[in-house]
Amino acid sequence: MPTAPRSSARGSSPTREADAEDPGPRTRPTAAVLLGIEALMLAAAATYCFVAVSGGGLDVRLGTGLGIFLVLFALALALASRSILARGRFGLGFGITWQMFQALVGASLLRGALYWQGGLALLLAIALFVLLTRLVRSTPLPGGD
């Protein structure tokens, strides 16, 4: 059964009042670019896995599986980046979840004495988590006009 659109306190708009504007004019493009950079970094890591497998430096099953995993998540991050620019909900949900996963990986890298790699992973995860959570209220809900 269809429901009546919600009206905001200011007028007859069917969306929430906070849906009208982004928190900053550069927040959405910055978040999309950073997600794109993460996608490129994952694609580079996948390429390294495939090259290491072909050169004999990595076990075939492990390297191929890891490379495929990284390619799939690089594609998902690229889609999330596009979704952020189009004001879609997928990019926010996937992006925020991915940043939590990336923070865990960054902490593991730091524990494994890979300091600059872990620091970079944590820095990107924290920056993107903050940017993406700022965009949650400014992204239209599904079914809104």
Side-chain angles (χ1 to χ4, degrees):
M1 175 180 216
T3 60
R6 294 177 299 201
S7 61
S8 68
R10 289 189 186 181
S12 62
S13 173
T15 59
R16 295 177 295 171
E17 179 181 335
D19 286 346
E21 305 240 352
D22 282 343
R26 312 262 318 142
T27 303
R28 194 168 292 277
T30 302
V33 165
L34 288 176
L35 281 174
I37 289 171
E38 283 186 352
L40 290 174
M41 290 171 66
L42 285 177
T47 303
Y48 172 78
C49 287
F50 294 134
V51 168
V53 164
S54 66
L58 197 57
D59 180 57
V60 174
R61 289 179 59 195
L62 173 69
T64 304
L66 184 60
I68 291 170
F69 173 84
L70 292 171
V71 165
L72 290 175
F73 276 94
L75 290 173
L77 277 172
L79 287 173
S81 176
R82 173 69 178 109
S83 175
I84 294 293
L85 288 176
R87 297 178 61 97
R89 303 285 307 171
F90 168 75
L92 289 174
F94 182 82
I96 289 170
T97 304
W98 178 259
Q99 298 320 309
M100 288 189 263
F101 177 70
Q102 183 176 325
L104 291 172
V105 170
S108 295
L109 290 172
L110 288 175
R111 286 184 55 129
L114 298 169
Y115 297 117
W116 73 268
Q117 296 93 336
L120 179 62
L122 278 174
L123 179 69
L124 274 172
I126 292 168
L128 267 164
F129 185 83
V130 170
L131 286 174
L132 292 172
T133 54
R134 290 184 66 203
L135 291 174
V136 169
R137 293 190 50 101
S138 66
T139 301
L141 289 172
D145 291 338

